[in-house]
Amino acid sequence: MSTTPGPTDRDPQPPLGIDALLERVRAGYERVEPHEAYEAAQAGDALLVDIRYAALRERDGLVPGALVVERNELEWRLDPQGSHRLPEATSHALRIVVICNEGYASSLAAQSLHQLGLHRATDLVGGFQAWRGAGLPVV
């Protein structure tokens, strides 16, 4: 007989699938469309953060002015209280728009930033592909 706790021993709820998790996460903040993100960045009201891996950036290009932060470093680089923060991580009031390739990983990343107290963090609906599809600048 196993002594390992089963699903009913600690967590009476069944596992949450990724689609349900994304829906739950996204309900906690307002996502932005490409043109809104572009205008906010142009006005100096948002920091665009590209978390795509290098191969995608090399293949598809970059959003001009976006800060490139690999996903596995995101929390360390953007935590205003962190010892490894970037100079751009000035306060918890900073509006951050996370950009991934298609707008999925960025939702989970934005939620993680919320847990660090960055409550204005959001993500780009459709990710980089939507940005490019909207005809916004790419270098």
Side-chain angles (χ1 to χ4, degrees):
M1 184 156 108
S2 172
T3 60
T4 305
T8 57
D9 293 328
R10 287 196 181 155
D11 185 6
Q13 297 185 10
L16 191 63
I18 188 62
D19 292 332
L21 177 61
L22 280 172
E23 185 177 323
R24 180 184 293 174
V25 163
R26 290 171 175 168
Y29 63 91
E30 186 175 329
R31 303 177 77 208
V32 297
E33 296 288 336
H35 283 285
E36 182 183 352
Y38 175 76
E39 291 169 8
Q42 291 297 107
D45 184 42
L47 176 64
L48 304 180
V49 179
D50 188 341
I51 63 168
R52 293 175 301 143
Y53 54 89
L56 287 177
R57 295 191 311 267
E58 291 168 8
R59 182 189 77 188
D60 294 339
L62 299 168
V63 171
L67 182 64
V68 174
V69 179
E70 296 284 338
R71 174 62 189 99
N72 64 330
E73 297 181 357
L74 186 69
E75 292 82 358
W76 284 269
R77 299 296 186 201
L78 294 181
D79 178 3
Q81 297 176 345
S83 59
H84 298 291
R85 74 175 181 82
L86 293 170
E88 293 85 352
T90 55
S91 82
H92 285 93
L94 183 63
R95 184 176 184 201
I96 298 168
V97 179
V98 182
I99 303 169
C100 69
N101 194 48
E102 295 181 344
Y104 296 100
S106 58
S107 294
L108 299 176
Q111 193 264 347
S112 182
L113 294 177
H114 277 241
Q115 291 177 327
L116 289 176
L118 294 157
H119 297 292
R120 294 185 71 206
T122 186
D123 76 312
L124 185 65
V125 174
F128 178 85
Q129 297 306 323
W131 178 280
R132 186 172 61 183
L136 293 168
V138 173
V139 293

